[in-house]
Amino acid sequence: MRWFRNKSISTAAPLRAQLAPFTVLLLITGITLAALPHLNRLPWWVAVLAASALAWRIWATLKHERLPRRWLLVPLTLLTIGGIYLSHRTVFGREAGVTLLVALVALKMLEAQRARDIAIAAMMSYFLALTAFFYSQTAATALLIACAIFFLTAALLGASAPGLAPRAQLHRTGMLLAQGIPLMVMLFLLFPRIQGPLWGMPADAFGGKTGLSDSMTPGNISALSQSDAIAFRVKFATPAPPRRDLYWRGPVLRQYDGRTWTAGPSYSPQDRYSLQGVGDPIDYEVTLEPHNRHWLFFLELATAIPEGMRPFPDYQVLTEDPVRQRIRYTGRSSLQYRAVSGGDATALDATTQLPEHYNPRARALAQSWRKKAKNDHNVVSLAIDHFKTGNYIYTLNPPLAIEHSADEFLFDSRRGFCEHFASAFAILMRAAGVPARIITGYQGGEINPVDGFITVRQSDAHAWVEVWLPETGWIRIDPTAAAIPTRAEQGLSAAVPGGDPVPFLLQPDLPWLRNLRMNFEALNNYWNQWVLGYDTERQRDLMTRFGMPTPSWQNIAITLFWTVGLAVLLLWLWLLRKVTHADPAQIAWQQFC
């Protein structure tokens, strides 16, 4: 009876034996992979705490040492929660919530002594893996999280079946996950798509987005152009126009206070988007990355605006809500046009205003052009010639303007980025009485030979000028291209001096890196288009191809129900074939155990 009580009823020893070192190491590997995407966002002390806790658990597992006592873990956990609150001023929201989850999962490993603890840690880590997609949904992130899921599932399997050998444990995990792939594909293709996210994101979920601003001060676009992040991709229905013609229009800035250009007052209700396209239109599709702003980018100038978008008389196009997720839209533009919107006296008067006591030398130069010019067209020609012959230098490191930014650029330093060229040209035009406004957006783009898309990056951010001529309407003048033609024809890296800090991935003397980047971005684009871009419209197109006449969400849900039900039935029948009648002696032994 003593042997029976010690060996069969006591549960402490078997529960400790279930935590095999291999299972613990698998779980720690899965936790590390799940937390890895958050490493650069965690407070440094949380990263050190998590790494130390996991390292302590590895050491204790391999050396068979005791884990920390509860009297140490409880105060440590409370101090950690308090520290996270002090760091983020909250324990809710995306940033604080992820930080708290990383810390709690790591601390949980310091008390995990039973199979139940392993299961809890694995379930928490599954959710931690999910939070990586709050920040990035690229193919690389998905691959990393898939590896984390594999190790977490293997640890969960090892905790529930402690007698498995390591090789059998990994093999069975792979088989379990592989069996779930068909069901996963069915759910992905047939689960009714809902416009927008399935849950409300916290207020800090859209912070840190890079992109153009709704104002322009000399220096802000040059800082943006040092980023190689992708702004949007474009697929043309016909061969793409030359790079020098790729002007992607964004915000329009009409008001100037002596240093900063802003949009100015809104248009009156009677103003209309009026454009006369000349020649054959160009059709294309834009895949726009989220930038948390309202504006969209079209090739100058758009002759057809998709439904649901708001065109304005200054030829910029906005959305009702900020662009907080990747969107696709079609565009149609004409490279030759006659733009006459905003040509009334009130609107033109707003584009000739200049603050007093700023840039006196630029004013004097513009007034001298006005005296010897016959009309506004001659004034514009004199200004363009001045930029062509002025020996100006295009640089990412222009000197800091003190007070008279246009004077200092035009007559002293002669060094600047596109915003310096555009701002000085617009000031000269207004000083000469020619209506002028600043256009910001992107110029150029790089065609990817792998997938045929044109990739437009933040380093392609650009600013140019529009002037009003009575006989033609608004026309584009790019003073940067007039002074430095290589900027429009070959891009940023070819236009700046050799010592300027061009983004690493855009270095012209690293062709192997360029080829690697092209293939990686093409793979990421396929992922964006066919996985992340699988929306309601594409789901309905797929259902129509398979013969569903009216692919409403109700019909798609019914199809999903019967498809998954049939798959489960076939799986059950397949498993039923392996069922054999057990030996009576074996049944008696199992009941005894």
Side-chain angles (χ1 to χ4, degrees):
M1 181 61 66
R2 184 180 304 163
W3 177 89
F4 182 84
R5 182 173 59 251
N6 291 342
K7 299 298 182 180
S8 302
I9 296 178
S10 178
T11 58
L15 287 174
R16 291 196 196 98
Q18 286 180 358
L19 296 188
F22 185 68
T23 296
V24 175
L25 294 178
L26 286 175
L27 180 57
I28 292 177
T29 302
I31 293 173
T32 303
L33 293 177
L36 195 60
H38 305 296
L39 188 60
N40 62 337
R41 290 181 285 268
L42 296 174
W44 68 268
W45 64 271
V46 175
V48 172
L49 173 68
S52 301
L54 296 179
W56 190 349
R57 182 54 199 252
I58 293 175
W59 171 79
T61 299
L62 296 179
K63 298 295 185 179
H64 302 287
E65 297 289 340
R66 298 183 65 88
L67 295 175
R69 296 290 187 179
R70 185 177 296 273
W71 62 264
L72 175 62
L73 287 177
V74 172
L76 181 59
T77 302
L78 294 177
L79 287 174
T80 300
I81 296 174
I84 292 172
Y85 179 83
L86 293 177
S87 297
H88 296 280
R89 298 300 174 184
T90 182
V91 292
F92 301 103
R94 183 180 62 162
E95 303 293 341
V98 169
T99 303
L100 181 62
L101 188 57
V102 170
L104 293 181
V105 169
L107 292 175
K108 180 64 179 177
M109 292 305 299
L110 291 181
E111 69 165 6
Q113 301 184 35
R114 296 174 174 83
R116 176 177 176 273
D117 297 327
I118 294 293
I120 293 175
M123 293 301 174
M124 293 172 64
S125 301
Y126 281 137
F127 189 76
L128 177 61
L130 173 66
T131 61
F133 296 110
F134 289 171
Y135 301 90
S136 173
Q137 299 173 4
T138 63
T141 302
L143 180 61
L144 178 66
I145 297 306
C147 294
I149 295 298
F150 177 85
F151 286 106
L152 294 174
T153 305
L156 200 58
L157 179 63
S160 60
L164 281 178
R167 184 173 180 179
Q169 188 173 341
L170 296 177
H171 179 266
R172 187 170 297 183
T173 300
M175 293 298 297
L176 285 173
L177 294 178
Q179 291 171 8
I181 290 178
L183 185 60
M184 178 189 70
V185 173
M186 292 179 192
L187 291 172
F188 174 78
L189 294 176
L190 299 177
F191 193 88
R193 279 327 198 239
I194 300 174
Q195 294 290 356
L198 294 177
W199 56 83
M201 295 295 286
D204 61 352
F206 304 104
K209 297 295 183 184
T210 58
L212 293 174
S213 173
D214 53 2
S215 63
M216 188 190 79
T217 302
N220 56 1
I221 295 184
S222 58
L224 178 64
S225 292
Q226 298 183 38
S227 168
D228 56 11
I230 295 176
F232 54 91
R233 293 180 173 92
V234 185
K235 182 71 171 181
F236 283 93
T238 56
R243 184 184 182 119
R244 62 177 178 273
D245 293 332
L246 297 179
Y247 283 83
W248 306 98
R249 189 183 189 91
V252 178
L253 311 177
R254 296 175 291 152
Q255 188 166 324
Y256 182 62
D257 63 2
R259 180 170 178 79
T260 301
W261 291 87
T262 56
S266 58
Y267 287 94
S268 59
Q270 62 266 24
D271 292 328
R272 294 290 183 267
Y273 187 106
S274 177
L275 180 71
Q276 300 174 9
V278 179
D280 296 332
I282 300 173
D283 294 318
Y284 51 91
E285 183 182 68
V286 178
T287 303
L288 179 63
E289 297 295 319
H291 54 74
N292 203 26
R293 301 284 186 168
H294 289 269
W295 47 73
L296 303 173
F297 299 97
F298 287 86
L299 188 65
E300 284 195 335
L301 275 172
T303 57
I305 308 299
E307 185 179 355
M309 301 178 181
R310 299 166 54 199
F312 280 75
D314 56 7
Y315 303 105
Q316 64 174 326
V317 183
L318 305 181
T319 60
E320 293 290 342
D321 301 315
V323 181
R324 290 177 171 171
Q325 56 184 345
R326 186 180 294 104
I327 62 173
R328 290 195 314 271
Y329 55 90
T330 57
R332 170 171 288 185
S333 300
S334 290
L335 299 181
Q336 303 296 326
Y337 49 82
R338 188 169 186 269
V340 295
S341 293
D344 58 278
T346 303
L348 293 179
D349 182 66
T351 58
T352 57
Q353 301 297 320
L354 283 176
E356 297 182 359
H357 311 302
Y358 283 96
N359 305 301
R361 288 182 287 173
R363 288 173 179 266
L365 177 61
Q367 290 166 5
S368 69
W369 292 340
R370 171 54 69 185
K371 290 179 181 179
K372 61 183 178 182
K374 296 180 180 179
N375 51 40
D376 290 353
H377 187 275
N378 293 140
V379 173
V380 174
S381 298
L382 290 171
I384 293 175
D385 291 339
H386 177 82
F387 277 81
K388 286 182 176 179
T389 59
N391 296 322
Y392 291 101
I393 298 175
Y394 182 75
T395 176
L396 287 166
N397 295 311
L400 182 65
I402 300 176
E403 182 178 6
H404 304 293
S405 58
D407 283 358
E408 294 167 19
F409 166 68
L410 289 170
F411 304 105
D412 299 333
S413 69
R414 296 180 181 269
R415 297 170 60 88
F417 200 61
C418 61
E419 63 262 41
H420 299 82
F421 286 83
S423 180
F425 193 92
I427 290 171
L428 289 169
M429 291 297 96
R430 291 190 175 192
V434 179
R437 60 194 185 191
I438 299 288
I439 313 298
T440 59
Y442 298 88
Q443 196 283 320
E446 183 180 28
I447 188 167
N448 190 327
V450 180
D451 58 9
F453 280 74
I454 287 182
T455 304
V456 181
R457 305 177 184 278
Q458 299 298 347
S459 58
D460 295 315
H462 197 54
W464 57 96
V465 180
E466 274 186 341
V467 298
W468 173 270
L469 298 179
E471 62 274 15
T472 59
W474 293 104
I475 63 171
R476 178 179 68 235
I477 305 294
D478 188 353
T480 307
I484 316 292
T486 53
R487 168 60 184 88
E489 295 173 356
Q490 301 179 38
L492 173 72
S493 58
V496 298
D500 277 17
V502 178
F504 178 71
L505 291 179
L506 301 181
Q507 296 288 340
D509 54 347
L510 298 174
W512 64 270
L513 183 63
R514 180 178 180 273
N515 294 332
L516 180 63
R517 174 172 55 85
M518 290 293 186
N519 284 276
F520 176 77
E521 290 181 351
L523 175 62
N524 217 22
N525 186 38
Y526 286 131
W527 173 267
N528 294 339
Q529 297 291 333
W530 299 107
V531 179
L532 302 182
Y534 185 71
D535 52 12
T536 305
E537 181 180 353
R538 290 201 169 183
Q539 187 181 52
R540 289 176 178 173
D541 291 342
L542 179 65
M543 295 299 102
T544 303
R545 292 180 183 178
F546 279 94
M548 184 180 292
T550 55
S552 62
W553 73 266
Q554 294 92 338
N555 293 337
I556 296 175
I558 293 173
T559 304
L560 173 64
F561 173 79
W562 287 111
T563 303
V564 173
L566 179 61
V568 172
L569 177 62
L570 293 176
L571 178 62
W572 179 73
L573 292 175
W574 180 72
L575 294 176
L576 194 63
R577 294 179 61 237
K578 295 188 175 183
V579 175
T580 58
H581 295 289
D583 183 73
Q586 185 180 10
I587 296 176
W589 171 251
Q590 290 176 349
Q591 292 175 348
F592 171 76
C593 291

